[in-house]
Amino acid sequence: MTALERVAQVFRRTFSLAAGRKVDAETTPDHVPEWDSIGHMNLVSGLEKEFGLRFEVDEIMEMSSVAKILELLAKRGVNV
Amino acid sequence: MTGATGGIGRAVCEMLVSGGAHVGLLGRDAQKLALLRASLEEKCPGGRTSVLVADMGDAEKVRTAIAGFASEVGGLEVLVNNAGVLRDGALYGVSFRGPSRYPLEKWNETLQTNLTGAFVAAQVAVEHMLKKKTGLPAESASESRGLIINVSSISRSGRAGQSAYSASKGALVSLTATLAQELAPHRIRCVAVAPGLVDTSMAAAIPEHARKEMLARSAVGRIGRPEEIAHAMRFAIENELFNGRVIEIDGGVF
């Protein structure tokens, strides 16, 4: 499973998205109404569990799209 | 009945009016209260209601409204503290929007309406409940002077994003236990009802994913109906042994 697929899985779990709902690198909070400030913290928690990482506050604030999340994961050594 | 025009409020009012009670419908929106009154008159012909307009954030108006109602009907037997507001938000949010602080105004509004309003209403209600002459010997417990029902919530034990709401609903449970002890010598009971997700406009405002997550933890697996909360209140009203405790009516959330 690719990093993107794993991130998409975390999105589906966190926001109870239907299986067919598209999550790709272009996905931003504008595409996912459930991705609000509380949802963001749940998302971060899900990503930390999935990838076995702990994000810093400045990293959490940078996560404004799936592309940005993948970029951060790459910086942390995840093969994206 | 404070918060009379809300989903739970309406169902409880209907239960009480159809049971023959004269119900004071307290809320802040005069138009909504008038519509509720008309609806109750239609559903329960001959039912007795009074409209009391007051914002729970205005202690003096709440006192005046409840005292006026008690004088109008010649006493007060049950107070239902149902008024509540839900203002979600993280205490200190860190997201793609940057850091954000939960506004103190929202904290104050929530505590004022959900907790302080209930305290004020209870205080004036007790004053009028105490006027009831039971005529019974002190050792008899068969006739009560009154009952206060506080509407708490499944969120009373804490829920992320609901610091103000959870704090207010948890505090209502503490207030309930305290008043039950303080008022027992006067034969006034105080109980709480803690609903889970109920089909009301307040629940409709909760984000869909949060609703789904709450329902996923429910053994019953469905949203509650306002009538089911009213039914729990009927139990609290009719059972004089029930005091100082919370009825958890949430479908079994674990």
Side-chain angles (χ1 to χ4, degrees), chain B residues 71-111:
Chain B
S71 300
E72 177 197 342
V73 304
L76 196 66
E77 292 177 334
V78 178
L79 165 71
V80 183
N81 274 319
N82 174 60
V85 293
L86 177 65
R87 304 282 183 259
D88 283 356
L91 171 83
Y92 190 88
V94 179
S95 76
F96 49 86
R97 294 195 180 92
S100 63
R101 286 185 186 83
Y102 187 76
L104 191 57
E105 294 75 23
K106 284 190 181 181
W107 170 271
N108 287 336
E109 181 198 3
T110 306
L111 271 288

Side-chain angles (χ1 to χ4, degrees), chain B residues 113-181:
Chain B
T113 301
N114 299 6
L115 181 60
T116 309
F119 172 84
V120 170
Q123 200 167 44
V124 66
V126 166
E127 190 180 332
H128 289 274
M129 287 171 180
L130 286 174
K131 290 178 182 171
K132 183 180 176 186
K133 303 273 187 279
T134 66
L136 291 169
E139 65 273 16
S140 171
S142 65
E143 191 173 340
S144 72
R145 280 202 172 92
L147 168 67
I148 297 164
I149 303 176
N150 292 321
V151 178
S152 180
S153 163
I154 192 174
S155 295
R156 70 194 179 283
S157 305
R159 186 168 181 79
Q162 295 192 333
S163 54
Y165 186 74
S166 294
S168 71
K169 294 299 185 179
L172 273 178
V173 172
S174 305
L175 180 67
T176 298
T178 302
L179 296 189
Q181 294 169 68

